[in-house]
Amino acid sequence: METPHRTILIASALVLAAEFCFAGVSALVKYLSTDLPSEQLVFFRNLMAFVVLLPWLWRKGPAAFRTTVWRFHLSRGIAGLAAMYLFFYALAHLPLAQATLVLLLSPFLIPIISRFWLKELVLPQTWLAIAIGFIGVFIFLNPLNADLSPVILVAFLAAVLAAYTKTLIRRMSATESSTKIVFYFATLATVLSAIPLIWRGDSIASEHGLAIMAMSLLAVAGQLGMTKAFSLAPAARVGVFTYSSVVFAALMGYLFWNEPITWYMFIGAIIITAAGYLALRTRRKAETGGKVGS
């Protein structure tokens, strides 16, 4: 059944609001990283997500934790946590828009991983979308006329790991509920990220404490908004708005750190958004047609 137009508008607004929250998280990480180690930031980011899950844990009870795919949960937890450490490091050393943009390569990497690991069919249109997406990133970064930091490679590795974790989620979804997947990641990420605090657990100033709380609340609000949006409307209709995060990041970078906004960035962002839209539409057509799409 066709989703009503009003519902599409609401879902689109929720995606935009969620991406604004995520851009805010990145901006706060960049701000806090000048005085606080990434180990602390990653821990508090994960701790808040775990705290939000506590009411669900109380209602469901021990039976909700049973799983037969421990190795997938553990692999996802380690890879996801590594991606977070790398991305936070990139945020501290790159312009905000650049770091955000490179991470947005993750959706284009998922079909590649799925093709070689899960042996899924990747349609020609999807390969075209991937190629267009990488062209957009090349134009955005403008490597021929700008001195790029090697930290770009760190951000790209974070994108690869993020794509791997999302592919794992697709693999686990056959037997695991989305809530259980989120619970195990939040638990593992919180426990593992607490270990470095043994030697990096310095005291936190009150103003930093408020910023950490804001970072955590924005992250949770973004996740809730995104979840609600995709429960209201299909990704093929509203998923393209997830690329708005690079626009929000560019604006925040300009306002708070005087990072330049160029025509290359504007054109590259448009091309990446178009590629993302093509990939989403291709996936929807493949699923509707009963094929195994990417």
Side-chain angles (χ1 to χ4, degrees), residues 157-190:
L157 182 56
V160 172
L161 288 172
Y164 171 69
T165 63
K166 291 173 183 176
T167 308
L168 269 176
I169 291 173
R170 292 175 61 177
R171 174 67 175 79
M172 290 189 290
S173 61
T175 59
E176 307 290 278
S177 67
S178 59
T179 312
K180 186 185 294 186
I181 292 172
V182 171
F183 160 71
Y184 275 109
F185 175 72
T187 303
L188 286 168
T190 301

PDB file of all heavy atoms in Angstrom, residues 157-190:
ATOM      1  N   LEU A 157      38.808   4.178   6.517  1.00  0.00           N
ATOM      2  CA  LEU A 157      38.819   2.895   7.216  1.00  0.00           C
ATOM      3  C   LEU A 157      37.628   2.793   8.164  1.00  0.00           C
ATOM      4  O   LEU A 157      37.021   1.719   8.302  1.00  0.00           O
ATOM      5  CB  LEU A 157      40.135   2.722   7.988  1.00  0.00           C
ATOM      6  CG  LEU A 157      40.313   1.400   8.745  1.00  0.00           C
ATOM      7  CD1 LEU A 157      40.154   0.207   7.810  1.00  0.00           C
ATOM      8  CD2 LEU A 157      41.681   1.356   9.425  1.00  0.00           C
ATOM      9  N   ALA A 158      37.268   3.901   8.802  1.00  0.00           N
ATOM     10  CA  ALA A 158      36.076   3.915   9.653  1.00  0.00           C
ATOM     11  C   ALA A 158      34.832   3.603   8.827  1.00  0.00           C
ATOM     12  O   ALA A 158      33.940   2.864   9.272  1.00  0.00           O
ATOM     13  CB  ALA A 158      35.937   5.272  10.336  1.00  0.00           C
ATOM     14  N   ALA A 159      34.772   4.145   7.601  1.00  0.00           N
ATOM     15  CA  ALA A 159      33.634   3.876   6.718  1.00  0.00           C
ATOM     16  C   ALA A 159      33.585   2.404   6.318  1.00  0.00           C
ATOM     17  O   ALA A 159      32.500   1.805   6.253  1.00  0.00           O
ATOM     18  CB  ALA A 159      33.721   4.760   5.476  1.00  0.00           C
ATOM     19  N   VAL A 160      34.743   1.815   6.047  1.00  0.00           N
ATOM     20  CA  VAL A 160      34.803   0.393   5.695  1.00  0.00           C
ATOM     21  C   VAL A 160      34.298  -0.462   6.851  1.00  0.00           C
ATOM     22  O   VAL A 160      33.496  -1.392   6.660  1.00  0.00           O
ATOM     23  CB  VAL A 160      36.237  -0.012   5.308  1.00  0.00           C
ATOM     24  CG1 VAL A 160      36.333  -1.525   5.123  1.00  0.00           C
ATOM     25  CG2 VAL A 160      36.676   0.695   4.030  1.00  0.00           C
ATOM     26  N   LEU A 161      34.757  -0.160   8.054  1.00  0.00           N
ATOM     27  CA  LEU A 161      34.327  -0.929   9.227  1.00  0.00           C
ATOM     28  C   LEU A 161      32.834  -0.730   9.490  1.00  0.00           C
ATOM     29  O   LEU A 161      32.122  -1.672   9.874  1.00  0.00           O
ATOM     30  CB  LEU A 161      35.142  -0.519  10.454  1.00  0.00           C
ATOM     31  CG  LEU A 161      36.595  -0.992  10.464  1.00  0.00           C
ATOM     32  CD1 LEU A 161      37.351  -0.364  11.631  1.00  0.00           C
ATOM     33  CD2 LEU A 161      36.673  -2.514  10.550  1.00  0.00           C
ATOM     34  N   ALA A 162      32.347   0.505   9.294  1.00  0.00           N
ATOM     35  CA  ALA A 162      30.916   0.760   9.475  1.00  0.00           C
ATOM     36  C   ALA A 162      30.095  -0.041   8.471  1.00  0.00           C
ATOM     37  O   ALA A 162      29.042  -0.596   8.811  1.00  0.00           O
ATOM     38  CB  ALA A 162      30.632   2.255   9.334  1.00  0.00           C
ATOM     39  N   ALA A 163      30.569  -0.106   7.233  1.00  0.00           N
ATOM     40  CA  ALA A 163      29.875  -0.898   6.207  1.00  0.00           C
ATOM     41  C   ALA A 163      29.884  -2.378   6.577  1.00  0.00           C
ATOM     42  O   ALA A 163      28.891  -3.090   6.377  1.00  0.00           O
ATOM     43  CB  ALA A 163      30.540  -0.679   4.850  1.00  0.00           C
ATOM     44  N   TYR A 164      31.005  -2.838   7.115  1.00  0.00           N
ATOM     45  CA  TYR A 164      31.099  -4.246   7.543  1.00  0.00           C
ATOM     46  C   TYR A 164      30.098  -4.550   8.647  1.00  0.00           C
ATOM     47  O   TYR A 164      29.421  -5.590   8.621  1.00  0.00           O
ATOM     48  CB  TYR A 164      32.521  -4.535   8.001  1.00  0.00           C
ATOM     49  CG  TYR A 164      32.689  -5.880   8.665  1.00  0.00           C
ATOM     50  CD1 TYR A 164      32.587  -7.052   7.931  1.00  0.00           C
ATOM     51  CD2 TYR A 164      32.947  -5.981  10.035  1.00  0.00           C
ATOM     52  CE1 TYR A 164      32.731  -8.298   8.536  1.00  0.00           C
ATOM     53  CE2 TYR A 164      33.086  -7.215  10.649  1.00  0.00           C
ATOM     54  CZ  TYR A 164      32.979  -8.370   9.892  1.00  0.00           C
ATOM     55  OH  TYR A 164      33.119  -9.592  10.497  1.00  0.00           O
ATOM     56  N   THR A 165      29.969  -3.643   9.623  1.00  0.00           N
ATOM     57  CA  THR A 165      29.024  -3.880  10.722  1.00  0.00           C
ATOM     58  C   THR A 165      27.588  -3.896  10.214  1.00  0.00           C
ATOM     59  O   THR A 165      26.765  -4.700  10.676  1.00  0.00           O
ATOM     60  CB  THR A 165      29.172  -2.815  11.824  1.00  0.00           C
ATOM     61  OG1 THR A 165      28.859  -1.523  11.289  1.00  0.00           O
ATOM     62  CG2 THR A 165      30.569  -2.801  12.394  1.00  0.00           C
ATOM     63  N   LYS A 166      27.267  -3.027   9.249  1.00  0.00           N
ATOM     64  CA  LYS A 166      25.909  -3.006   8.713  1.00  0.00           C
ATOM     65  C   LYS A 166      25.620  -4.260   7.901  1.00  0.00           C
ATOM     66  O   LYS A 166      24.484  -4.752   7.886  1.00  0.00           O
ATOM     67  CB  LYS A 166      25.708  -1.747   7.869  1.00  0.00           C
ATOM     68  CG  LYS A 166      25.690  -0.474   8.710  1.00  0.00           C
ATOM     69  CD  LYS A 166      25.656   0.769   7.861  1.00  0.00           C
ATOM     70  CE  LYS A 166      25.711   2.024   8.730  1.00  0.00           C
ATOM     71  NZ  LYS A 166      25.765   3.262   7.919  1.00  0.00           N
ATOM     72  N   THR A 167      26.650  -4.786   7.243  1.00  0.00           N
ATOM     73  CA  THR A 167      26.483  -6.047   6.523  1.00  0.00           C
ATOM     74  C   THR A 167      26.267  -7.191   7.512  1.00  0.00           C
ATOM     75  O   THR A 167      25.459  -8.097   7.264  1.00  0.00           O
ATOM     76  CB  THR A 167      27.718  -6.337   5.646  1.00  0.00           C
ATOM     77  OG1 THR A 167      27.997  -5.203   4.830  1.00  0.00           O
ATOM     78  CG2 THR A 167      27.476  -7.548   4.762  1.00  0.00           C
ATOM     79  N   LEU A 168      26.956  -7.138   8.633  1.00  0.00           N
ATOM     80  CA  LEU A 168      26.743  -8.131   9.680  1.00  0.00           C
ATOM     81  C   LEU A 168      25.316  -8.084  10.207  1.00  0.00           C
ATOM     82  O   LEU A 168      24.706  -9.127  10.486  1.00  0.00           O
ATOM     83  CB  LEU A 168      27.725  -7.885  10.836  1.00  0.00           C
ATOM     84  CG  LEU A 168      29.073  -8.594  10.793  1.00  0.00           C
ATOM     85  CD1 LEU A 168      29.936  -8.141  11.968  1.00  0.00           C
ATOM     86  CD2 LEU A 168      28.896 -10.114  10.839  1.00  0.00           C
ATOM     87  N   ILE A 169      24.786  -6.884  10.349  1.00  0.00           N
ATOM     88  CA  ILE A 169      23.413  -6.737  10.822  1.00  0.00           C
ATOM     89  C   ILE A 169      22.451  -7.439   9.860  1.00  0.00           C
ATOM     90  O   ILE A 169      21.521  -8.140  10.288  1.00  0.00           O
ATOM     91  CB  ILE A 169      23.046  -5.252  10.971  1.00  0.00           C
ATOM     92  CG1 ILE A 169      23.829  -4.632  12.134  1.00  0.00           C
ATOM     93  CG2 ILE A 169      21.546  -5.081  11.201  1.00  0.00           C
ATOM     94  CD1 ILE A 169      23.673  -3.142  12.261  1.00  0.00           C
ATOM     95  N   ARG A 170      22.678  -7.266   8.562  1.00  0.00           N
ATOM     96  CA  ARG A 170      21.836  -7.936   7.574  1.00  0.00           C
ATOM     97  C   ARG A 170      21.971  -9.447   7.694  1.00  0.00           C
ATOM     98  O   ARG A 170      20.995 -10.190   7.540  1.00  0.00           O
ATOM     99  CB  ARG A 170      22.220  -7.478   6.165  1.00  0.00           C
ATOM    100  CG  ARG A 170      21.894  -6.027   5.887  1.00  0.00           C
ATOM    101  CD  ARG A 170      22.385  -5.580   4.538  1.00  0.00           C
ATOM    102  NE  ARG A 170      21.779  -6.324   3.444  1.00  0.00           N
ATOM    103  CZ  ARG A 170      22.005  -6.069   2.168  1.00  0.00           C
ATOM    104  NH1 ARG A 170      22.839  -5.115   1.819  1.00  0.00           N
ATOM    105  NH2 ARG A 170      21.412  -6.782   1.230  1.00  0.00           N
ATOM    106  N   ARG A 171      23.181  -9.910   7.980  1.00  0.00           N
ATOM    107  CA  ARG A 171      23.407 -11.354   8.138  1.00  0.00           C
ATOM    108  C   ARG A 171      22.707 -11.876   9.385  1.00  0.00           C
ATOM    109  O   ARG A 171      22.126 -12.972   9.365  1.00  0.00           O
ATOM    110  CB  ARG A 171      24.918 -11.596   8.215  1.00  0.00           C
ATOM    111  CG  ARG A 171      25.321 -13.034   8.513  1.00  0.00           C
ATOM    112  CD  ARG A 171      24.963 -13.962   7.372  1.00  0.00           C
ATOM    113  NE  ARG A 171      25.436 -15.304   7.601  1.00  0.00           N
ATOM    114  CZ  ARG A 171      24.824 -16.182   8.404  1.00  0.00           C
ATOM    115  NH1 ARG A 171      23.712 -15.849   9.030  1.00  0.00           N
ATOM    116  NH2 ARG A 171      25.321 -17.406   8.560  1.00  0.00           N
ATOM    117  N   MET A 172      22.724 -11.114  10.466  1.00  0.00           N
ATOM    118  CA  MET A 172      22.132 -11.553  11.732  1.00  0.00           C
ATOM    119  C   MET A 172      20.617 -11.412  11.758  1.00  0.00           C
ATOM    120  O   MET A 172      19.939 -12.068  12.551  1.00  0.00           O
ATOM    121  CB  MET A 172      22.720 -10.768  12.904  1.00  0.00           C
ATOM    122  CG  MET A 172      24.161 -11.097  13.219  1.00  0.00           C
ATOM    123  SD  MET A 172      24.690 -10.306  14.773  1.00  0.00           S
ATOM    124  CE  MET A 172      24.744  -8.581  14.280  1.00  0.00           C
ATOM    125  N   SER A 173      20.068 -10.531  10.924  1.00  0.00           N
ATOM    126  CA  SER A 173      18.646 -10.217  11.005  1.00  0.00           C
ATOM    127  C   SER A 173      17.746 -11.414  10.713  1.00  0.00           C
ATOM    128  O   SER A 173      16.555 -11.389  11.020  1.00  0.00           O
ATOM    129  CB  SER A 173      18.305  -9.078  10.039  1.00  0.00           C
ATOM    130  OG  SER A 173      18.592  -9.448   8.701  1.00  0.00           O
ATOM    131  N   ALA A 174      18.319 -12.465  10.149  1.00  0.00           N
ATOM    132  CA  ALA A 174      17.528 -13.661   9.877  1.00  0.00           C
ATOM    133  C   ALA A 174      17.090 -14.345  11.165  1.00  0.00           C
ATOM    134  O   ALA A 174      16.036 -14.993  11.210  1.00  0.00           O
ATOM    135  CB  ALA A 174      18.327 -14.629   9.010  1.00  0.00           C
ATOM    136  N   THR A 175      17.892 -14.204  12.226  1.00  0.00           N
ATOM    137  CA  THR A 175      17.571 -14.876  13.495  1.00  0.00           C
ATOM    138  C   THR A 175      17.470 -13.926  14.681  1.00  0.00           C
ATOM    139  O   THR A 175      16.901 -14.295  15.708  1.00  0.00           O
ATOM    140  CB  THR A 175      18.650 -15.932  13.822  1.00  0.00           C
ATOM    141  OG1 THR A 175      19.931 -15.285  13.902  1.00  0.00           O
ATOM    142  CG2 THR A 175      18.702 -17.016  12.760  1.00  0.00           C
ATOM    143  N   GLU A 176      18.007 -12.719  14.550  1.00  0.00           N
ATOM    144  CA  GLU A 176      18.054 -11.793  15.677  1.00  0.00           C
ATOM    145  C   GLU A 176      17.135 -10.593  15.431  1.00  0.00           C
ATOM    146  O   GLU A 176      17.080 -10.064  14.322  1.00  0.00           O
ATOM    147  CB  GLU A 176      19.483 -11.280  15.891  1.00  0.00           C
ATOM    148  CG  GLU A 176      20.520 -12.374  16.031  1.00  0.00           C
ATOM    149  CD  GLU A 176      20.379 -13.141  17.324  1.00  0.00           C
ATOM    150  OE1 GLU A 176      20.867 -12.666  18.354  1.00  0.00           O
ATOM    151  OE2 GLU A 176      19.754 -14.237  17.296  1.00  0.00           O
ATOM    152  N   SER A 177      16.444 -10.153  16.478  1.00  0.00           N
ATOM    153  CA  SER A 177      15.623  -8.950  16.370  1.00  0.00           C
ATOM    154  C   SER A 177      16.528  -7.719  16.370  1.00  0.00           C
ATOM    155  O   SER A 177      17.665  -7.760  16.862  1.00  0.00           O
ATOM    156  CB  SER A 177      14.645  -8.863  17.541  1.00  0.00           C
ATOM    157  OG  SER A 177      15.342  -8.651  18.758  1.00  0.00           O
ATOM    158  N   SER A 178      16.011  -6.628  15.823  1.00  0.00           N
ATOM    159  CA  SER A 178      16.806  -5.399  15.773  1.00  0.00           C
ATOM    160  C   SER A 178      17.138  -4.905  17.175  1.00  0.00           C
ATOM    161  O   SER A 178      18.239  -4.401  17.425  1.00  0.00           O
ATOM    162  CB  SER A 178      16.052  -4.319  14.992  1.00  0.00           C
ATOM    163  OG  SER A 178      14.802  -4.055  15.601  1.00  0.00           O
ATOM    164  N   THR A 179      16.200  -5.062  18.099  1.00  0.00           N
ATOM    165  CA  THR A 179      16.438  -4.610  19.475  1.00  0.00           C
ATOM    166  C   THR A 179      17.547  -5.419  20.128  1.00  0.00           C
ATOM    167  O   THR A 179      18.388  -4.866  20.849  1.00  0.00           O
ATOM    168  CB  THR A 179      15.152  -4.726  20.308  1.00  0.00           C
ATOM    169  OG1 THR A 179      14.067  -4.152  19.589  1.00  0.00           O
ATOM    170  CG2 THR A 179      15.312  -4.025  21.644  1.00  0.00           C
ATOM    171  N   LYS A 180      17.562  -6.722  19.883  1.00  0.00           N
ATOM    172  CA  LYS A 180      18.615  -7.563  20.454  1.00  0.00           C
ATOM    173  C   LYS A 180      19.976  -7.203  19.871  1.00  0.00           C
ATOM    174  O   LYS A 180      20.987  -7.156  20.594  1.00  0.00           O
ATOM    175  CB  LYS A 180      18.312  -9.045  20.196  1.00  0.00           C
ATOM    176  CG  LYS A 180      19.277 -10.000  20.892  1.00  0.00           C
ATOM    177  CD  LYS A 180      19.020 -11.439  20.505  1.00  0.00           C
ATOM    178  CE  LYS A 180      17.679 -11.920  21.014  1.00  0.00           C
ATOM    179  NZ  LYS A 180      17.487 -13.373  20.757  1.00  0.00           N
ATOM    180  N   ILE A 181      20.018  -6.925  18.580  1.00  0.00           N
ATOM    181  CA  ILE A 181      21.273  -6.536  17.936  1.00  0.00           C
ATOM    182  C   ILE A 181      21.800  -5.246  18.551  1.00  0.00           C
ATOM    183  O   ILE A 181      22.991  -5.114  18.864  1.00  0.00           O
ATOM    184  CB  ILE A 181      21.071  -6.372  16.419  1.00  0.00           C
ATOM    185  CG1 ILE A 181      20.783  -7.740  15.773  1.00  0.00           C
ATOM    186  CG2 ILE A 181      22.302  -5.744  15.766  1.00  0.00           C
ATOM    187  CD1 ILE A 181      20.381  -7.658  14.316  1.00  0.00           C
ATOM    188  N   VAL A 182      20.901  -4.268  18.743  1.00  0.00           N
ATOM    189  CA  VAL A 182      21.297  -2.999  19.356  1.00  0.00           C
ATOM    190  C   VAL A 182      21.765  -3.215  20.791  1.00  0.00           C
ATOM    191  O   VAL A 182      22.760  -2.631  21.237  1.00  0.00           O
ATOM    192  CB  VAL A 182      20.123  -2.005  19.321  1.00  0.00           C
ATOM    193  CG1 VAL A 182      20.440  -0.759  20.148  1.00  0.00           C
ATOM    194  CG2 VAL A 182      19.809  -1.600  17.887  1.00  0.00           C
ATOM    195  N   PHE A 183      21.068  -4.076  21.532  1.00  0.00           N
ATOM    196  CA  PHE A 183      21.429  -4.323  22.922  1.00  0.00           C
ATOM    197  C   PHE A 183      22.836  -4.897  23.047  1.00  0.00           C
ATOM    198  O   PHE A 183      23.648  -4.419  23.845  1.00  0.00           O
ATOM    199  CB  PHE A 183      20.435  -5.283  23.569  1.00  0.00           C
ATOM    200  CG  PHE A 183      20.972  -5.963  24.797  1.00  0.00           C
ATOM    201  CD1 PHE A 183      21.172  -5.254  25.967  1.00  0.00           C
ATOM    202  CD2 PHE A 183      21.320  -7.308  24.776  1.00  0.00           C
ATOM    203  CE1 PHE A 183      21.687  -5.858  27.097  1.00  0.00           C
ATOM    204  CE2 PHE A 183      21.838  -7.927  25.896  1.00  0.00           C
ATOM    205  CZ  PHE A 183      22.028  -7.199  27.060  1.00  0.00           C
ATOM    206  N   TYR A 184      23.141  -5.924  22.251  1.00  0.00           N
ATOM    207  CA  TYR A 184      24.457  -6.544  22.366  1.00  0.00           C
ATOM    208  C   TYR A 184      25.566  -5.586  21.947  1.00  0.00           C
ATOM    209  O   TYR A 184      26.643  -5.572  22.549  1.00  0.00           O
ATOM    210  CB  TYR A 184      24.519  -7.836  21.538  1.00  0.00           C
ATOM    211  CG  TYR A 184      23.997  -9.031  22.289  1.00  0.00           C
ATOM    212  CD1 TYR A 184      22.788  -9.631  21.954  1.00  0.00           C
ATOM    213  CD2 TYR A 184      24.703  -9.544  23.378  1.00  0.00           C
ATOM    214  CE1 TYR A 184      22.300 -10.714  22.673  1.00  0.00           C
ATOM    215  CE2 TYR A 184      24.216 -10.633  24.098  1.00  0.00           C
ATOM    216  CZ  TYR A 184      23.017 -11.210  23.738  1.00  0.00           C
ATOM    217  OH  TYR A 184      22.540 -12.271  24.456  1.00  0.00           O
ATOM    218  N   PHE A 185      25.293  -4.759  20.928  1.00  0.00           N
ATOM    219  CA  PHE A 185      26.321  -3.802  20.537  1.00  0.00           C
ATOM    220  C   PHE A 185      26.537  -2.767  21.645  1.00  0.00           C
ATOM    221  O   PHE A 185      27.678  -2.445  21.983  1.00  0.00           O
ATOM    222  CB  PHE A 185      25.949  -3.090  19.240  1.00  0.00           C
ATOM    223  CG  PHE A 185      26.922  -2.007  18.879  1.00  0.00           C
ATOM    224  CD1 PHE A 185      28.191  -2.331  18.418  1.00  0.00           C
ATOM    225  CD2 PHE A 185      26.596  -0.665  19.034  1.00  0.00           C
ATOM    226  CE1 PHE A 185      29.118  -1.340  18.109  1.00  0.00           C
ATOM    227  CE2 PHE A 185      27.507   0.332  18.728  1.00  0.00           C
ATOM    228  CZ  PHE A 185      28.769  -0.010  18.267  1.00  0.00           C
ATOM    229  N   ALA A 186      25.439  -2.237  22.183  1.00  0.00           N
ATOM    230  CA  ALA A 186      25.560  -1.225  23.236  1.00  0.00           C
ATOM    231  C   ALA A 186      26.291  -1.788  24.451  1.00  0.00           C
ATOM    232  O   ALA A 186      27.135  -1.109  25.064  1.00  0.00           O
ATOM    233  CB  ALA A 186      24.180  -0.710  23.634  1.00  0.00           C
ATOM    234  N   THR A 187      25.980  -3.021  24.813  1.00  0.00           N
ATOM    235  CA  THR A 187      26.618  -3.637  25.977  1.00  0.00           C
ATOM    236  C   THR A 187      28.102  -3.869  25.739  1.00  0.00           C
ATOM    237  O   THR A 187      28.951  -3.486  26.561  1.00  0.00           O
ATOM    238  CB  THR A 187      25.933  -4.974  26.309  1.00  0.00           C
ATOM    239  OG1 THR A 187      24.538  -4.752  26.531  1.00  0.00           O
ATOM    240  CG2 THR A 187      26.545  -5.590  27.565  1.00  0.00           C
ATOM    241  N   LEU A 188      28.425  -4.498  24.612  1.00  0.00           N
ATOM    242  CA  LEU A 188      29.832  -4.783  24.306  1.00  0.00           C
ATOM    243  C   LEU A 188      30.635  -3.496  24.154  1.00  0.00           C
ATOM    244  O   LEU A 188      31.755  -3.383  24.667  1.00  0.00           O
ATOM    245  CB  LEU A 188      29.926  -5.617  23.025  1.00  0.00           C
ATOM    246  CG  LEU A 188      29.525  -7.093  23.148  1.00  0.00           C
ATOM    247  CD1 LEU A 188      29.375  -7.714  21.761  1.00  0.00           C
ATOM    248  CD2 LEU A 188      30.551  -7.856  23.970  1.00  0.00           C
ATOM    249  N   ALA A 189      30.062  -2.526  23.440  1.00  0.00           N
ATOM    250  CA  ALA A 189      30.777  -1.267  23.210  1.00  0.00           C
ATOM    251  C   ALA A 189      31.026  -0.532  24.519  1.00  0.00           C
ATOM    252  O   ALA A 189      32.101   0.047  24.724  1.00  0.00           O
ATOM    253  CB  ALA A 189      29.988  -0.385  22.245  1.00  0.00           C
ATOM    254  N   THR A 190      30.042  -0.552  25.420  1.00  0.00           N
ATOM    255  CA  THR A 190      30.206   0.132  26.708  1.00  0.00           C
ATOM    256  C   THR A 190      31.280  -0.547  27.555  1.00  0.00           C
ATOM    257  O   THR A 190      32.155   0.113  28.129  1.00  0.00           O
ATOM    258  CB  THR A 190      28.875   0.164  27.476  1.00  0.00           C
ATOM    259  OG1 THR A 190      27.888   0.832  26.689  1.00  0.00           O
ATOM    260  CG2 THR A 190      29.026   0.908  28.796  1.00  0.00           C
TER     261      THR A 190
END
